[in-house]
Amino acid sequence: MRAWSAPEVPVLPVMGPPVALHDTPSGGLVTTTPTGPARLYVCGITPYDATHMGHAATYVGFDLLHRAWRNAGHDVTYVQNVTDVDDPLLERATKVNIDWVELAERETELFRQDMSALRVLPPAAYVGAVESIPLVIALIERLQAAGSVYRVEDDLYFSVTADPAFGEESTYDRETMLRIFPERGGDPDRAGKRDPLDCVVWRGEREGEPSWESPFGPGRPGWHIECAAIAMEHLGGDFDVQGGGSDLVFPHHEMCAGHAQVAVPGTRFAQVYAHAGMVAYDGEKMSKSRGNLVFVSALRNSDVDPMAIRLTLLRHHYRSDWEWLDAELFDNVDALADWRRAVSLGAGAPAAPVVDTVLAALADDLDAPRALAAVDAWVASTLGTDGLADTSDPHASVTMLSLLDAALGIRL
Ligand code: 5CA
Ligand code: ZN
């Protein structure tokens, strides 16, 4: 599948520090140590509706990781999927009476435009579930060979007990897993399952649903096996970071890890599992199923500067849960105007210390709010809003422009 076009990113004259990231399984900070290109997988959209601020916050968050690695001297191999066949997509297509393929293509294209506008660096491989069906079939065959797959009517299930490390990604106890599983696509009560937590890897054909031929009969891929197959194919085992929103901690990332670890015993799926917080609106998690959405494209259509949207997202640490407030967007439109005024002066307050602070903050679990505080302070000193204007650095504007672009993805 085609990704979106890459924005130009300035190369900074100084190298950023190694990047540390919060890891869900260990609950602590882990310094990433890529050997060769840093390998990142971030779970992509299910394209049945437009990109909302929750999606945008997650992808902008992991874009900071992409940029921090590049600024630390690493090449980055970034892979993202598109869940272009799954229950919610098919349900929406039926509801609005449009062909599911057309719906998926339309919303994926809108997502590309939203990501470009927000200056999110594109993945090197942008991979759909449908085009990955041969990979999914091959992975299911490996799981079958390992004895971890069984049939319930026309569906194939993965035995979670086949992975000795099952549960280590989320660290949830069984009771918590059983509570969350049905809320996120699981079917604990299905008769014939060996363990209520076992998940579907191949869903046999249902009337009115699309299906593909396979050695297990016609059907379509389960959700978790899609990401496991795509990540293993495009990144190999034990890649650096598996990312997504915190709603994917369980079952999605646990099951992906389980599939990969049973297919290739003795390996880990990913070294670090990183999760972005949930963005709410009107007091509840912003989600397509609840309908409490603020769309990136709607704001763009109302001539909101995408950089103001990005700045608003960056004001919140990627791991925190927060609520989208329109007032914050307006504040950030004003802040950007101040930033632009400051960099238009040429000279300004010393920029080198800001470079160090911003790179250090971002390498420390992508602490964008701390980085932005340093930028705001530089703007205030340069404009003299906190006293006398400081113009002691003749090259300040040039330095700041490339720093904001390279590290934060804000192009003024
Ligand atoms: N296609 C699957 C992943 S394989 C999926 O979860 N799609 S999604 O469209 O529902 O979400 C896309 C990405 O946005 C996921 O990483 C998800 O964790 C994240 N996300 C969804 N809702 C929110 C939200 N309210 N706040 C932050 N991130 C969110
Ligand atoms: Zn995924």
Side-chain angles (χ1 to χ4, degrees), residues 346-381:
V354 188
V355 175
D356 292 342
T357 305
V358 165
L359 294 182
L362 292 170
D364 179 14
D365 200 24
L366 315 178
D367 194 344
R370 176 146 56 100
L372 295 178
V375 177
D376 285 329
W378 177 87
V379 170
S381 305

PDB file of all heavy atoms in Angstrom, residues 346-381:
ATOM      1  N   GLY A 346      15.596  37.143  13.211  1.00  0.00           N
ATOM      2  CA  GLY A 346      16.976  36.780  12.855  1.00  0.00           C
ATOM      3  C   GLY A 346      17.768  36.484  14.111  1.00  0.00           C
ATOM      4  O   GLY A 346      17.990  35.330  14.473  1.00  0.00           O
ATOM      5  N   ALA A 347      18.153  37.538  14.825  1.00  0.00           N
ATOM      6  CA  ALA A 347      18.870  37.343  16.090  1.00  0.00           C
ATOM      7  C   ALA A 347      17.866  37.065  17.205  1.00  0.00           C
ATOM      8  O   ALA A 347      16.688  37.391  17.085  1.00  0.00           O
ATOM      9  CB  ALA A 347      19.692  38.578  16.411  1.00  0.00           C
ATOM     10  N   GLY A 348      18.376  36.465  18.269  1.00  0.00           N
ATOM     11  CA  GLY A 348      17.478  36.191  19.400  1.00  0.00           C
ATOM     12  C   GLY A 348      18.267  35.709  20.601  1.00  0.00           C
ATOM     13  O   GLY A 348      19.512  35.753  20.606  1.00  0.00           O
ATOM     14  N   ALA A 349      17.572  35.231  21.581  1.00  0.00           N
ATOM     15  CA  ALA A 349      18.228  34.672  22.769  1.00  0.00           C
ATOM     16  C   ALA A 349      19.071  33.465  22.332  1.00  0.00           C
ATOM     17  O   ALA A 349      18.773  32.839  21.305  1.00  0.00           O
ATOM     18  CB  ALA A 349      17.169  34.270  23.785  1.00  0.00           C
ATOM     19  N   PRO A 350      20.116  33.109  23.095  1.00  0.00           N
ATOM     20  CA  PRO A 350      20.985  31.992  22.699  1.00  0.00           C
ATOM     21  C   PRO A 350      20.175  30.721  22.409  1.00  0.00           C
ATOM     22  O   PRO A 350      19.357  30.305  23.241  1.00  0.00           O
ATOM     23  CB  PRO A 350      21.895  31.805  23.912  1.00  0.00           C
ATOM     24  CG  PRO A 350      21.908  33.145  24.568  1.00  0.00           C
ATOM     25  CD  PRO A 350      20.540  33.749  24.340  1.00  0.00           C
ATOM     26  N   ALA A 351      20.409  30.138  21.235  1.00  0.00           N
ATOM     27  CA  ALA A 351      19.595  28.975  20.819  1.00  0.00           C
ATOM     28  C   ALA A 351      20.268  27.650  21.171  1.00  0.00           C
ATOM     29  O   ALA A 351      19.566  26.650  21.358  1.00  0.00           O
ATOM     30  CB  ALA A 351      19.317  29.042  19.321  1.00  0.00           C
ATOM     31  N   ALA A 352      21.599  27.632  21.274  1.00  0.00           N
ATOM     32  CA  ALA A 352      22.283  26.349  21.504  1.00  0.00           C
ATOM     33  C   ALA A 352      21.781  25.631  22.765  1.00  0.00           C
ATOM     34  O   ALA A 352      21.530  24.411  22.725  1.00  0.00           O
ATOM     35  CB  ALA A 352      23.800  26.550  21.548  1.00  0.00           C
ATOM     36  N   PRO A 353      21.605  26.348  23.888  1.00  0.00           N
ATOM     37  CA  PRO A 353      21.099  25.635  25.077  1.00  0.00           C
ATOM     38  C   PRO A 353      19.688  25.078  24.868  1.00  0.00           C
ATOM     39  O   PRO A 353      19.328  24.049  25.455  1.00  0.00           O
ATOM     40  CB  PRO A 353      21.073  26.710  26.178  1.00  0.00           C
ATOM     41  CG  PRO A 353      21.830  27.878  25.649  1.00  0.00           C
ATOM     42  CD  PRO A 353      21.903  27.769  24.157  1.00  0.00           C
ATOM     43  N   VAL A 354      18.897  25.764  24.022  1.00  0.00           N
ATOM     44  CA  VAL A 354      17.536  25.264  23.752  1.00  0.00           C
ATOM     45  C   VAL A 354      17.622  23.954  22.974  1.00  0.00           C
ATOM     46  O   VAL A 354      16.859  23.010  23.222  1.00  0.00           O
ATOM     47  CB  VAL A 354      16.701  26.309  22.967  1.00  0.00           C
ATOM     48  CG1 VAL A 354      15.241  25.859  22.860  1.00  0.00           C
ATOM     49  CG2 VAL A 354      16.789  27.680  23.609  1.00  0.00           C
ATOM     50  N   VAL A 355      18.555  23.893  22.035  1.00  0.00           N
ATOM     51  CA  VAL A 355      18.749  22.650  21.271  1.00  0.00           C
ATOM     52  C   VAL A 355      19.042  21.505  22.236  1.00  0.00           C
ATOM     53  O   VAL A 355      18.402  20.444  22.177  1.00  0.00           O
ATOM     54  CB  VAL A 355      19.908  22.803  20.251  1.00  0.00           C
ATOM     55  CG1 VAL A 355      20.184  21.471  19.558  1.00  0.00           C
ATOM     56  CG2 VAL A 355      19.587  23.897  19.234  1.00  0.00           C
ATOM     57  N   ASP A 356      19.974  21.742  23.145  1.00  0.00           N
ATOM     58  CA  ASP A 356      20.338  20.678  24.095  1.00  0.00           C
ATOM     59  C   ASP A 356      19.142  20.263  24.952  1.00  0.00           C
ATOM     60  O   ASP A 356      18.887  19.066  25.152  1.00  0.00           O
ATOM     61  CB  ASP A 356      21.483  21.153  25.014  1.00  0.00           C
ATOM     62  CG  ASP A 356      22.773  21.327  24.233  1.00  0.00           C
ATOM     63  OD1 ASP A 356      22.870  20.765  23.117  1.00  0.00           O
ATOM     64  OD2 ASP A 356      23.677  22.039  24.717  1.00  0.00           O
ATOM     65  N   THR A 357      18.411  21.257  25.446  1.00  0.00           N
ATOM     66  CA  THR A 357      17.271  20.941  26.331  1.00  0.00           C
ATOM     67  C   THR A 357      16.186  20.179  25.576  1.00  0.00           C
ATOM     68  O   THR A 357      15.622  19.198  26.080  1.00  0.00           O
ATOM     69  CB  THR A 357      16.660  22.246  26.907  1.00  0.00           C
ATOM     70  OG1 THR A 357      17.709  22.970  27.538  1.00  0.00           O
ATOM     71  CG2 THR A 357      15.560  21.956  27.900  1.00  0.00           C
ATOM     72  N   VAL A 358      15.891  20.642  24.353  1.00  0.00           N
ATOM     73  CA  VAL A 358      14.814  20.000  23.583  1.00  0.00           C
ATOM     74  C   VAL A 358      15.195  18.555  23.244  1.00  0.00           C
ATOM     75  O   VAL A 358      14.394  17.629  23.428  1.00  0.00           O
ATOM     76  CB  VAL A 358      14.505  20.823  22.307  1.00  0.00           C
ATOM     77  CG1 VAL A 358      13.668  20.021  21.318  1.00  0.00           C
ATOM     78  CG2 VAL A 358      13.795  22.120  22.689  1.00  0.00           C
ATOM     79  N   LEU A 359      16.426  18.345  22.779  1.00  0.00           N
ATOM     80  CA  LEU A 359      16.832  16.982  22.407  1.00  0.00           C
ATOM     81  C   LEU A 359      16.862  16.079  23.639  1.00  0.00           C
ATOM     82  O   LEU A 359      16.451  14.910  23.575  1.00  0.00           O
ATOM     83  CB  LEU A 359      18.181  16.992  21.699  1.00  0.00           C
ATOM     84  CG  LEU A 359      18.201  17.689  20.319  1.00  0.00           C
ATOM     85  CD1 LEU A 359      19.591  17.599  19.694  1.00  0.00           C
ATOM     86  CD2 LEU A 359      17.160  17.108  19.363  1.00  0.00           C
ATOM     87  N   ALA A 360      17.322  16.631  24.760  1.00  0.00           N
ATOM     88  CA  ALA A 360      17.377  15.823  25.986  1.00  0.00           C
ATOM     89  C   ALA A 360      15.969  15.470  26.458  1.00  0.00           C
ATOM     90  O   ALA A 360      15.694  14.335  26.861  1.00  0.00           O
ATOM     91  CB  ALA A 360      18.135  16.569  27.079  1.00  0.00           C
ATOM     92  N   ALA A 361      15.057  16.434  26.385  1.00  0.00           N
ATOM     93  CA  ALA A 361      13.677  16.179  26.850  1.00  0.00           C
ATOM     94  C   ALA A 361      13.026  15.107  25.980  1.00  0.00           C
ATOM     95  O   ALA A 361      12.352  14.204  26.482  1.00  0.00           O
ATOM     96  CB  ALA A 361      12.866  17.472  26.811  1.00  0.00           C
ATOM     97  N   LEU A 362      13.234  15.189  24.683  1.00  0.00           N
ATOM     98  CA  LEU A 362      12.585  14.221  23.783  1.00  0.00           C
ATOM     99  C   LEU A 362      13.195  12.831  23.924  1.00  0.00           C
ATOM    100  O   LEU A 362      12.500  11.821  23.778  1.00  0.00           O
ATOM    101  CB  LEU A 362      12.629  14.714  22.347  1.00  0.00           C
ATOM    102  CG  LEU A 362      11.755  15.963  22.126  1.00  0.00           C
ATOM    103  CD1 LEU A 362      12.005  16.562  20.756  1.00  0.00           C
ATOM    104  CD2 LEU A 362      10.271  15.634  22.299  1.00  0.00           C
ATOM    105  N   ALA A 363      14.496  12.779  24.217  1.00  0.00           N
ATOM    106  CA  ALA A 363      15.142  11.474  24.405  1.00  0.00           C
ATOM    107  C   ALA A 363      14.748  10.852  25.739  1.00  0.00           C
ATOM    108  O   ALA A 363      14.971   9.669  25.972  1.00  0.00           O
ATOM    109  CB  ALA A 363      16.658  11.628  24.316  1.00  0.00           C
ATOM    110  N   ASP A 364      14.147  11.643  26.618  1.00  0.00           N
ATOM    111  CA  ASP A 364      13.710  11.165  27.922  1.00  0.00           C
ATOM    112  C   ASP A 364      12.205  10.882  27.851  1.00  0.00           C
ATOM    113  O   ASP A 364      11.377  11.684  28.287  1.00  0.00           O
ATOM    114  CB  ASP A 364      14.035  12.232  28.978  1.00  0.00           C
ATOM    115  CG  ASP A 364      13.583  11.822  30.374  1.00  0.00           C
ATOM    116  OD1 ASP A 364      13.263  10.627  30.579  1.00  0.00           O
ATOM    117  OD2 ASP A 364      13.537  12.699  31.249  1.00  0.00           O
ATOM    118  N   ASP A 365      11.868   9.759  27.273  1.00  0.00           N
ATOM    119  CA  ASP A 365      10.472   9.331  27.131  1.00  0.00           C
ATOM    120  C   ASP A 365       9.620  10.374  26.417  1.00  0.00           C
ATOM    121  O   ASP A 365       8.476  10.624  26.792  1.00  0.00           O
ATOM    122  CB  ASP A 365       9.880   8.977  28.511  1.00  0.00           C
ATOM    123  CG  ASP A 365       8.649   8.075  28.393  1.00  0.00           C
ATOM    124  OD1 ASP A 365       8.517   7.367  27.370  1.00  0.00           O
ATOM    125  OD2 ASP A 365       7.831   8.083  29.331  1.00  0.00           O
ATOM    126  N   LEU A 366      10.203  10.950  25.366  1.00  0.00           N
ATOM    127  CA  LEU A 366       9.449  11.831  24.446  1.00  0.00           C
ATOM    128  C   LEU A 366       8.708  12.936  25.201  1.00  0.00           C
ATOM    129  O   LEU A 366       7.503  13.148  24.991  1.00  0.00           O
ATOM    130  CB  LEU A 366       8.451  10.999  23.615  1.00  0.00           C
ATOM    131  CG  LEU A 366       8.983   9.691  23.017  1.00  0.00           C
ATOM    132  CD1 LEU A 366       7.871   8.951  22.269  1.00  0.00           C
ATOM    133  CD2 LEU A 366      10.159   9.956  22.077  1.00  0.00           C
ATOM    134  N   ASP A 367       9.458  13.643  26.051  1.00  0.00           N
ATOM    135  CA  ASP A 367       8.829  14.653  26.906  1.00  0.00           C
ATOM    136  C   ASP A 367       8.651  15.973  26.138  1.00  0.00           C
ATOM    137  O   ASP A 367       9.377  16.950  26.352  1.00  0.00           O
ATOM    138  CB  ASP A 367       9.657  14.855  28.178  1.00  0.00           C
ATOM    139  CG  ASP A 367       8.900  15.629  29.234  1.00  0.00           C
ATOM    140  OD1 ASP A 367       7.879  16.269  28.892  1.00  0.00           O
ATOM    141  OD2 ASP A 367       9.326  15.601  30.401  1.00  0.00           O
ATOM    142  N   ALA A 368       7.653  15.989  25.269  1.00  0.00           N
ATOM    143  CA  ALA A 368       7.396  17.181  24.454  1.00  0.00           C
ATOM    144  C   ALA A 368       6.998  18.392  25.298  1.00  0.00           C
ATOM    145  O   ALA A 368       7.452  19.502  25.007  1.00  0.00           O
ATOM    146  CB  ALA A 368       6.330  16.878  23.403  1.00  0.00           C
ATOM    147  N   PRO A 369       6.160  18.239  26.340  1.00  0.00           N
ATOM    148  CA  PRO A 369       5.819  19.438  27.130  1.00  0.00           C
ATOM    149  C   PRO A 369       7.062  20.142  27.686  1.00  0.00           C
ATOM    150  O   PRO A 369       7.141  21.367  27.693  1.00  0.00           O
ATOM    151  CB  PRO A 369       4.932  18.883  28.252  1.00  0.00           C
ATOM    152  CG  PRO A 369       4.314  17.655  27.645  1.00  0.00           C
ATOM    153  CD  PRO A 369       5.384  17.068  26.760  1.00  0.00           C
ATOM    154  N   ARG A 370       8.051  19.348  28.140  1.00  0.00           N
ATOM    155  CA  ARG A 370       9.291  19.950  28.661  1.00  0.00           C
ATOM    156  C   ARG A 370      10.052  20.636  27.529  1.00  0.00           C
ATOM    157  O   ARG A 370      10.580  21.739  27.689  1.00  0.00           O
ATOM    158  CB  ARG A 370      10.148  18.858  29.316  1.00  0.00           C
ATOM    159  CG  ARG A 370      11.505  19.323  29.804  1.00  0.00           C
ATOM    160  CD  ARG A 370      11.960  18.592  31.076  1.00  0.00           C
ATOM    161  NE  ARG A 370      11.985  17.149  30.959  1.00  0.00           N
ATOM    162  CZ  ARG A 370      13.103  16.423  30.728  1.00  0.00           C
ATOM    163  NH1 ARG A 370      14.270  17.023  30.545  1.00  0.00           N
ATOM    164  NH2 ARG A 370      13.045  15.113  30.673  1.00  0.00           N
ATOM    165  N   ALA A 371      10.076  20.024  26.357  1.00  0.00           N
ATOM    166  CA  ALA A 371      10.758  20.630  25.207  1.00  0.00           C
ATOM    167  C   ALA A 371      10.074  21.947  24.830  1.00  0.00           C
ATOM    168  O   ALA A 371      10.744  22.961  24.570  1.00  0.00           O
ATOM    169  CB  ALA A 371      10.744  19.654  24.027  1.00  0.00           C
ATOM    170  N   LEU A 372       8.752  21.942  24.843  1.00  0.00           N
ATOM    171  CA  LEU A 372       8.003  23.147  24.439  1.00  0.00           C
ATOM    172  C   LEU A 372       8.176  24.273  25.450  1.00  0.00           C
ATOM    173  O   LEU A 372       8.191  25.452  25.073  1.00  0.00           O
ATOM    174  CB  LEU A 372       6.511  22.823  24.280  1.00  0.00           C
ATOM    175  CG  LEU A 372       6.177  21.838  23.160  1.00  0.00           C
ATOM    176  CD1 LEU A 372       4.681  21.555  23.118  1.00  0.00           C
ATOM    177  CD2 LEU A 372       6.633  22.360  21.798  1.00  0.00           C
ATOM    178  N   ALA A 373       8.321  23.921  26.724  1.00  0.00           N
ATOM    179  CA  ALA A 373       8.548  24.957  27.740  1.00  0.00           C
ATOM    180  C   ALA A 373       9.851  25.700  27.437  1.00  0.00           C
ATOM    181  O   ALA A 373       9.934  26.924  27.589  1.00  0.00           O
ATOM    182  CB  ALA A 373       8.576  24.324  29.130  1.00  0.00           C
ATOM    183  N   ALA A 374      10.871  24.953  26.986  1.00  0.00           N
ATOM    184  CA  ALA A 374      12.150  25.592  26.653  1.00  0.00           C
ATOM    185  C   ALA A 374      11.992  26.508  25.439  1.00  0.00           C
ATOM    186  O   ALA A 374      12.593  27.586  25.378  1.00  0.00           O
ATOM    187  CB  ALA A 374      13.211  24.522  26.382  1.00  0.00           C
ATOM    188  N   VAL A 375      11.172  26.081  24.483  1.00  0.00           N
ATOM    189  CA  VAL A 375      10.944  26.911  23.289  1.00  0.00           C
ATOM    190  C   VAL A 375      10.165  28.173  23.674  1.00  0.00           C
ATOM    191  O   VAL A 375      10.512  29.289  23.266  1.00  0.00           O
ATOM    192  CB  VAL A 375      10.179  26.123  22.200  1.00  0.00           C
ATOM    193  CG1 VAL A 375       9.872  27.011  20.994  1.00  0.00           C
ATOM    194  CG2 VAL A 375      10.976  24.898  21.773  1.00  0.00           C
ATOM    195  N   ASP A 376       9.124  28.002  24.486  1.00  0.00           N
ATOM    196  CA  ASP A 376       8.337  29.165  24.933  1.00  0.00           C
ATOM    197  C   ASP A 376       9.236  30.173  25.670  1.00  0.00           C
ATOM    198  O   ASP A 376       9.095  31.384  25.486  1.00  0.00           O
ATOM    199  CB  ASP A 376       7.201  28.728  25.865  1.00  0.00           C
ATOM    200  CG  ASP A 376       6.051  28.062  25.107  1.00  0.00           C
ATOM    201  OD1 ASP A 376       5.805  28.424  23.937  1.00  0.00           O
ATOM    202  OD2 ASP A 376       5.391  27.174  25.693  1.00  0.00           O
ATOM    203  N   ALA A 377      10.142  29.658  26.490  1.00  0.00           N
ATOM    204  CA  ALA A 377      11.037  30.547  27.252  1.00  0.00           C
ATOM    205  C   ALA A 377      11.964  31.303  26.291  1.00  0.00           C
ATOM    206  O   ALA A 377      12.214  32.498  26.461  1.00  0.00           O
ATOM    207  CB  ALA A 377      11.849  29.738  28.258  1.00  0.00           C
ATOM    208  N   TRP A 378      12.437  30.593  25.253  1.00  0.00           N
ATOM    209  CA  TRP A 378      13.298  31.250  24.265  1.00  0.00           C
ATOM    210  C   TRP A 378      12.511  32.350  23.533  1.00  0.00           C
ATOM    211  O   TRP A 378      13.028  33.452  23.321  1.00  0.00           O
ATOM    212  CB  TRP A 378      13.836  30.225  23.247  1.00  0.00           C
ATOM    213  CG  TRP A 378      14.659  30.863  22.175  1.00  0.00           C
ATOM    214  CD1 TRP A 378      15.997  31.138  22.210  1.00  0.00           C
ATOM    215  CD2 TRP A 378      14.175  31.339  20.914  1.00  0.00           C
ATOM    216  NE1 TRP A 378      16.385  31.764  21.051  1.00  0.00           N
ATOM    217  CE2 TRP A 378      15.278  31.899  20.233  1.00  0.00           C
ATOM    218  CE3 TRP A 378      12.932  31.358  20.292  1.00  0.00           C
ATOM    219  CZ2 TRP A 378      15.183  32.467  18.958  1.00  0.00           C
ATOM    220  CZ3 TRP A 378      12.812  31.933  19.031  1.00  0.00           C
ATOM    221  CH2 TRP A 378      13.926  32.473  18.370  1.00  0.00           C
ATOM    222  N   VAL A 379      11.281  32.057  23.179  1.00  0.00           N
ATOM    223  CA  VAL A 379      10.441  33.041  22.475  1.00  0.00           C
ATOM    224  C   VAL A 379      10.221  34.267  23.371  1.00  0.00           C
ATOM    225  O   VAL A 379      10.371  35.413  22.931  1.00  0.00           O
ATOM    226  CB  VAL A 379       9.090  32.404  22.058  1.00  0.00           C
ATOM    227  CG1 VAL A 379       8.103  33.452  21.555  1.00  0.00           C
ATOM    228  CG2 VAL A 379       9.314  31.345  20.982  1.00  0.00           C
ATOM    229  N   ALA A 380       9.925  34.020  24.643  1.00  0.00           N
ATOM    230  CA  ALA A 380       9.685  35.138  25.567  1.00  0.00           C
ATOM    231  C   ALA A 380      10.940  35.996  25.716  1.00  0.00           C
ATOM    232  O   ALA A 380      10.864  37.232  25.692  1.00  0.00           O
ATOM    233  CB  ALA A 380       9.236  34.595  26.925  1.00  0.00           C
ATOM    234  N   SER A 381      12.112  35.365  25.828  1.00  0.00           N
ATOM    235  CA  SER A 381      13.362  36.138  25.958  1.00  0.00           C
ATOM    236  C   SER A 381      13.643  36.917  24.685  1.00  0.00           C
ATOM    237  O   SER A 381      14.082  38.062  24.734  1.00  0.00           O
ATOM    238  CB  SER A 381      14.558  35.222  26.224  1.00  0.00           C
ATOM    239  OG  SER A 381      14.320  34.428  27.326  1.00  0.00           O
TER     240      SER A 381
END
